[in-house]
Amino acid sequence: MLVLDYVEDSGLEEIANSCKELQVLRVFPSDPFAPGPNVSLTEQGLVAVSVGCPKLQSVLYFCCQMTNDALVTIARNRPNMIRFRLCIIEPQTPDYSTLEPLDAGFGAIVQHCKELRRLSLSGLLTDRVFGYIGVHAKKLEMLSLDFAGDSDLGLHYVLSGCESLRKLEIRDCPFGVEALLANAAKLETMRSLWMSNCSVSFEACKLLAQKLPGLNVEVKDERGHPDTRQESCPIEKLYRYRTVSGRRFDTLGFVWIIAEDASLTPYSNGDCSLASS
């Protein structure tokens, strides 16, 4: 079932009472750029569906608020969940009732939902939640996250613990290359890794390409070629992926493929200030 947030909590309660065979629920925002909530849709609507729809196994839910208690309740009600994607509109939003991070709530999701294959995180989150994911999410195949975590330790928990992980998407997180290099063997088994606006430098990308010669490593940066800045400057985007057809030749002007032997590629150091010129 696909609905807009105009359904509100009351509409989701009716769905919970009437749709006992419901397996998939997707609730999208009617106006994602509104300055504040324009409908009465909260965590209570999703809790109601988790209570009333015993076959529910896939959720995509856009909302403006969430609590740890609600996530714990959802996890306990629907341990059969295989896809859980929560999108809180405002980044780094805490549990509105306690102002605490949502670590415990998402920890309950991965602990109770043993068959979970896909997970999207949002809200205020620390490295603690990634510890829960690494320990419990053994069947997780795809993880998406943004504005989450404290350090490389969080990424290390995921890469070292999630045995089935195949696709990882990271945006605006304080993760660098240390966890990537330490878990190079895991990266070789994954289909793809996407990092945007993280703490990854061009120099780190070259190290990654050297350590993973069988994988494609691409840098995407619309500010210009990375060799116009110091190698320690963070890049905009890193895309590492596996392919049987080798490196591609249809890249746009702001995409650079790093050679397997980075020492053979003529890169020169520049000034970070050139990024804004």
Side-chain angles (χ1 to χ4, degrees):
M1 179 179 290
L2 189 157
V3 296
L4 293 178
D5 56 11
Y6 291 132
V7 69
E8 299 191 334
D9 288 343
S10 58
L12 291 177
E13 290 169 1
E14 289 300 319
I15 290 172
N17 292 330
S18 306
C19 303
K20 299 304 180 181
E21 300 296 316
L22 183 66
Q23 298 182 32
V24 179
L25 175 66
R26 297 176 183 176
V27 180
F28 289 93
S30 53
D31 185 0
F33 302 108
N38 61 336
V39 294
S40 181
L41 180 73
T42 71
E43 75 285 355
Q44 293 304 319
L46 185 55
V47 169
V49 174
S50 75
V51 173
C53 302
K55 296 186 179 182
L56 185 68
Q57 60 180 3
S58 179
V59 166
L60 171 58
Y61 198 77
F62 283 82
C63 61
C64 293
Q65 66 182 53
M66 186 55 61
T67 68
N68 282 303
D69 285 346
L71 289 170
V72 170
T73 300
I74 293 164
R76 289 175 175 169
N77 289 339
R78 296 277 65 82
N80 53 317
M81 196 83 70
I82 60 174
R83 287 181 295 271
F84 187 80
R85 292 180 287 169
L86 177 66
C87 301
I88 303 176
I89 302 297
E90 185 66 25
Q92 296 181 313
T93 298
D95 178 324
Y96 75 90
S97 65
T98 66
L99 300 184
E100 292 292 320
L102 292 170
D103 298 338
F106 279 107
I109 293 290
V110 296
Q111 184 175 2
H112 290 278
C113 304
K114 302 296 186 183
E115 301 298 317
L116 195 67
R117 299 293 197 276
R118 184 172 183 180
L119 176 64
S120 293
L121 305 177
S122 62
L124 181 62
L125 299 164
T126 72
D127 284 345
R128 182 184 175 194
V129 73
F130 299 113
Y132 294 140
I133 292 172
V135 170
H136 298 290
K138 297 304 181 182
K139 294 187 178 181
L140 188 66
E141 298 176 356
M142 181 174 178
L143 175 63
S144 302
L145 54 108
D146 52 34
F147 297 97
D150 304 310
S151 67
D152 263 8
L153 186 60
L155 181 55
H156 173 72
Y157 287 146
V158 171
L159 292 175
S160 62
C162 297
E163 302 166 355
S164 302
L165 191 64
R166 294 293 176 263
K167 190 173 182 179
L168 179 58
E169 298 176 348
I170 305 171
R171 293 177 176 84
D172 297 285
C173 294
F175 301 148
V177 75
E178 291 185 11
L180 300 179
L181 294 175
N183 294 277
K186 175 59 184 174
L187 293 178
E188 289 183 316
T189 70
M190 291 172 53
R191 177 181 175 184
S192 65
L193 165 70
W194 172 273
M195 298 182 73
S196 175
N197 295 324
C198 297
S199 300
V200 179
S201 68
F202 184 48
E203 181 182 25
C205 292
K206 293 200 293 184
L207 289 173
L208 192 62
Q210 290 174 337
K211 195 157 187 177
L212 301 170
L215 304 178
N216 287 2
V217 178
E218 296 182 3
V219 170
K220 304 173 187 286
D221 202 320
E222 297 188 35
R223 300 170 299 178
H225 198 292
D227 68 3
T228 63
R229 297 176 295 279
Q230 292 182 2
E231 292 190 345
S232 59
C233 291
I235 60 166
E236 288 184 344
K237 299 177 180 68
L238 165 67
Y239 184 36
R240 184 229 53 88
Y241 60 97
R242 176 180 297 281
T243 175
V244 296
S245 58
R247 58 188 300 178
R248 62 193 180 108
F249 300 95
D250 61 345
T251 58
L252 298 175
F254 56 86
V255 178
W256 292 274
I257 300 175
I258 301 181
E260 294 180 4
D261 186 351
S263 64
L264 297 179
T265 307
Y267 299 117
S268 59
N269 290 331
D271 188 344
C272 264
S273 62
L274 292 176
S276 59
S277 62

